[in-house]
Amino acid sequence: MYKNLKHFIERILPKRFLPISIIERKIAKITGNKIAEGPFKDMIWEDCLQETHYGPYILGTYEKELTPILEKLCAEPFRTVVDVGAGHGYFACGLALRLPNAKIIAFEMEDKRRSYCARICAVNRVEHRVKIFGLCNRENLIENLKVEGLALVMMDVEGAERELLDPAVISRLRQCHILVELHEFVYPDIADLITNRFQASHIITEIQSRPRNYNDFPNAIATSVSFLPKKYLTGMLDEHRPGMMRWFYLKPKS
């Protein structure tokens, strides 16, 4: 039933008494519930429904591999951002802050995550520019891309990118910037499929995930918690993924 002593302790103790939770509360106090670094530095981020991956968000290391691409995107004059699979609103709210002239459309299936997304947008005072909806299908995507000006599509949909990212059905995608997480554990051929669909219209850049280590911990925070074991600090960076992941950034050629 229990793998080891650590697993036993984690199962019997309330989450607030676990070492990782104690560290989270200390870091939240140090930062004032503001993200410590990364493209959305200083965005307010409250404890995310007590979920175990709160650490990467508040530390600003969540999907850190995407930071160079996100910085480039934040320099573009986007008028519309469609975030499909918005989760708790990390990208929807963050991009609303970084792109003050853009309208943000966020799609998220889970009720609790939509509620948190709305709350986090409100505390960061961007709720008037972020519209939140449930399931995104092809019709929804077509409708929300019927806009003039530069558009960005963010997508993290556990394999539904196979259906949604099809320029033969949604021709507007040929002019959009697209950042998509590839769920190859769902569809092993998804990278080839996306490449074949977009190689004529887009320049495709691959981004590969990598394991986190202590050096990823923000220096400004590390000095305040340096007395704690490094294994716990490194554990806060864990995004609890099923394995190594890949993203594609698709930049329109014209």
Side-chain angles (χ1 to χ4, degrees), residues 43-46 86 88-97 104 106 114-132:
M43 181 170 81
I44 298 170
W45 192 263
E46 299 171 349
H88 300 93
Y90 179 76
F91 291 111
C93 184
L95 290 171
L97 290 167
I104 315 296
R114 284 199 305 275
S115 296
Y116 189 84
C117 181
R119 191 172 91 212
I120 215 69
C121 288
V123 298
N124 283 280
R125 299 182 180 180
V126 293
E127 72 276 12
H128 59 291
R129 288 194 297 109
V130 181
K131 303 299 181 184
I132 304 170

Side-chain angles (χ1 to χ4, degrees), residues 129-192:
R129 288 194 297 109
V130 181
K131 303 299 181 184
I132 304 170
F133 302 99
L135 175 70
C136 180
N137 55 32
R138 286 175 170 178
E139 290 72 25
N140 299 144
L141 195 52
I142 290 170
E143 185 62 30
N144 283 283
L145 289 176
K146 286 182 179 177
V147 291
E148 294 184 0
L150 201 60
L152 167 65
V153 175
M154 302 275 296
M155 193 166 291
D156 179 1
V157 284
E158 305 300 319
E161 63 268 21
R162 184 186 186 95
E163 176 185 358
L164 294 173
L165 291 182
D166 190 347
V169 177
I170 308 174
S171 59
R172 177 73 165 97
L173 290 171
R174 294 190 177 98
Q175 291 86 43
C176 295
H177 290 248
I178 302 169
L179 183 57
V180 55
E181 184 170 316
L182 303 173
H183 294 88
E184 294 169 285
F185 59 88
V186 181
Y187 294 112
D189 66 338
I190 191 64
D192 291 339

Side-chain angles (χ1 to χ4, degrees), residues 14 21 53 71 87 105 114 116 165 171 184 197 232 234 251:
S21 297
H53 59 295
E71 289 297 342
I105 309 295
R114 284 199 305 275
Y116 189 84
L165 291 182
S171 59
E184 294 169 285
R197 287 176 176 177
Y232 288 125
T234 303
K251 182 179 180 180

Side-chain angles (χ1 to χ4, degrees), residues 41-254:
K41 184 178 184 294
D42 293 330
M43 181 170 81
I44 298 170
W45 192 263
E46 299 171 349
D47 192 342
C48 195
L49 308 177
Q50 296 294 319
E51 292 192 1
T52 56
H53 59 295
Y54 170 69
Y57 290 117
I58 194 67
L59 294 172
T61 62
Y62 180 72
E63 297 190 351
K64 187 175 182 179
E65 299 87 347
L66 300 180
T67 295
I69 296 293
L70 287 169
E71 289 297 342
K72 290 180 181 179
L73 291 173
C74 289
E76 296 282 353
F78 290 113
R79 300 308 302 272
T80 303
V81 176
V82 180
D83 184 5
V84 187
H88 300 93
Y90 179 76
F91 291 111
C93 184
L95 290 171
L97 290 167
R98 291 292 305 271
L99 297 168
N101 295 317
K103 177 182 178 182
I104 315 296
I105 309 295
F107 287 95
E108 172 53 47
M109 290 179 60
E110 294 189 17
D111 293 344
K112 287 184 177 180
R113 293 185 174 191
R114 284 199 305 275
S115 296
Y116 189 84
C117 181
R119 191 172 91 212
I120 215 69
C121 288
V123 298
N124 283 280
R125 299 182 180 180
V126 293
E127 72 276 12
H128 59 291
R129 288 194 297 109
V130 181
K131 303 299 181 184
I132 304 170
F133 302 99
L135 175 70
C136 180
N137 55 32
R138 286 175 170 178
E139 290 72 25
N140 299 144
L141 195 52
I142 290 170
E143 185 62 30
N144 283 283
L145 289 176
K146 286 182 179 177
V147 291
E148 294 184 0
L150 201 60
L152 167 65
V153 175
M154 302 275 296
M155 193 166 291
D156 179 1
V157 284
E158 305 300 319
E161 63 268 21
R162 184 186 186 95
E163 176 185 358
L164 294 173
L165 291 182
D166 190 347
V169 177
I170 308 174
S171 59
R172 177 73 165 97
L173 290 171
R174 294 190 177 98
Q175 291 86 43
C176 295
H177 290 248
I178 302 169
L179 183 57
V180 55
E181 184 170 316
L182 303 173
H183 294 88
E184 294 169 285
F185 59 88
V186 181
Y187 294 112
D189 66 338
I190 191 64
D192 291 339
L193 184 67
I194 297 295
T195 298
N196 291 335
R197 287 176 176 177
F198 287 95
Q199 60 186 350
S201 59
H202 287 72
I203 299 168
I204 302 175
T205 301
E206 176 188 327
I207 305 101
Q208 176 72 54
S209 70
R210 62 169 178 80
R212 298 286 179 263
N213 57 60
Y214 180 73
N215 292 328
D216 292 311
F217 208 90
N219 290 332
I221 304 299
T223 55
S224 300
V225 292
S226 58
F227 62 93
L228 295 168
K230 284 188 177 181
K231 67 177 182 179
Y232 288 125
L233 300 181
T234 303
M236 277 201 70
L237 304 171
D238 189 358
E239 296 177 15
H240 302 280
R241 295 181 174 275
M244 292 295 100
M245 303 293 294
R246 286 198 292 168
W247 296 265
F248 274 175
Y249 166 48
L250 293 83
K251 182 179 180 180
K253 291 181 180 179
S254 62

